[in-house]
Amino acid sequence: MESRKRNGEASGGSVPTQLFVDGEWREAATGQRFSVDDPASGEIVAAVADAGAVDARAAVDAAHRAWSAWRAMPATERADLLWRWHRLIESHAEDLARLLTREQGKPFAEARAEIAYANGFVRWFAEEARRAYGEVIPAPRPDRRVLVLREPVGVVAAITPWNFPAAMVTRKIAPALAAGCAVVLKPSELTPLSALALVDLAREAGFPPGVVNLVTTSDAPAVGAVLTADPRVRKLSFTGSTAVGKRLMADCAGTVKKLSLELGGNAPFIVFDDADLDRALDGLVANKFRNAGQACIAANRVLVQHGVHDRFVERLAARVAALRVGRGDEDGVAIGPLITERARAKVEALVDGAVAAGARVVVGGRALHELGPRWYAPTVLTGVGPEMRLACDEAFGPVVPVIRFATEAEAVALANDTPYGLAAYFYTQDATRIFRLASALEAGIVGANEAVVSNQMAPFGGYKESGIGREGSRHGLAEYTELKYLCLGGLG
Ligand code: ADP
């Protein structure tokens, strides 16, 4: 596209850096831009268009105009476009992964895995698009038919976070498009480049103008205010912090928008005396240290039964001490930087607070200032009390707080003693306990002897203050549809 701005530095390839509205790349109305940096070094990677309320409104206008033709397109044709997008993402996977590491900091192998995961949603919803079945229900009278139709909800606003800058975009946009909705996407100001690259591939795939719109901004509240207040936006899908999610939920009340919210978590990871410890250690390291702990389903509290506590901690400490910290683009790196200096300071304050309250550092326990302001060492702490902030707040860092417990009842009570309910994990070889725990844990996602659980086919979402709705799976498509009951009479 002629108007497209390129930024060769960003990926080693070319990534547009403007707003995408009505099928065109364009500058923000003010002409302003904001910069995106590499969390590993602080180096500026790109400057992208800085949308304000005017641009957000233009994006909603475009989506609203595009929606009536888009919803009328047969689902099979929408599915074909999604397939085309899928194939384009696949053929650009390496560049997308490099870009992701550059703007987000995660190790390259993880970035590659995220692109595959992200693209899995596009494929999954290309398949699901064809199966948005309705129902025919036995009618109460012979001269009637009772039909239930699934219709697209309308214009959707999608607000995505920085921890999975590609996957959170496709997990929302692919089902919205599959259902026949038009989208306005606002990615995180910290990681807009992956979203820009993905939307550029959607453009290349041939989605009609206005069906996918993208507004990058450094002023999320200004753009958010437009998206939440405009009555033409019929649904908001948000992934991010609980505090912002609650605010957006309140802002959507005025127009009673449909909501999908994926908010914070405080996942317990419970290791019973009868656990397979190798399996539990593998699961914990894979779950907790992915993305340097910056995931809402990362274990936030590790509860270990007293019989295996010391052995488990010793083996965990050896594994954690061996994790290599470094830039995501270096070979063999397991832990990259945290996203911002503020994120590092939060992790540091939580750990220091726990130590001041009596916890003991077994490994790590300090900021790695020698690497820069955003680095924190992989850490294991013991003697953590459930009342400590470290065990209550989402740390979003490479820190394992170990809490000792005695009985199953105590573990369940501790696990559920939180306003959150996203994920919970436990390791035990006792089959009866597996079933007891599976039903006792108040969480939308439960891993029994497994801690790497996200995939396209399963519903992802939380109980309690962790959110509303589910993403992925057939339920993830349903979130973007309304049910219409059609009563046909006079058929006798
Ligand atoms: P985190 O704590 O993980 O950074 P946030 O909830 O702050 O999560 O951010 C998640 C997403 O929400 C980002 O895209 C961010 O720009 C956006 N956001 C933050 N505040 C607002 C707001 N007031 N209105 C709309 N979007 C917002």
Side-chain angles (χ1 to χ4, degrees), residues 158-163 186-191 217-228 236 238-245 247-248 251 262-263 339-340 342 346 394 396:
I159 298 182
T160 54
W162 50 264
N163 58 345
K186 193 213 80 61
S188 169
E189 57 280 18
L190 300 171
T191 58
T217 182
S218 66
D219 190 353
V223 168
V226 170
L227 299 178
T228 52
L236 171 71
F238 170 78
T239 297
S241 59
T242 301
V244 172
R247 181 189 161 158
L248 294 175
D251 291 348
E262 299 285 357
L263 309 178
I339 190 72
T340 56
R342 210 169 122 228
K346 178 183 174 188
E394 201 175 26
F396 248 54

Side-chain angles (χ1 to χ4, degrees), residues 277-286 289 312-324 363 378 380:
L277 287 196
D278 290 320
R279 225 185 140 75
L281 285 162
D282 287 347
L284 180 57
V285 172
F289 292 99
F312 185 80
V313 168
E314 190 186 328
R315 294 183 60 190
L316 176 64
R319 296 258 195 134
V320 173
L323 293 172
R324 196 162 148 221
V363 182
V380 177

Side-chain angles (χ1 to χ4, degrees), residues 157-159 228 234-238 248 252 257-260:
I159 298 182
T228 52
R234 292 310 318 145
K235 175 173 176 109
L236 171 71
S237 179
F238 170 78
L248 294 175
C252 284
K257 293 194 199 318
K258 306 279 176 260
L259 286 169
S260 289

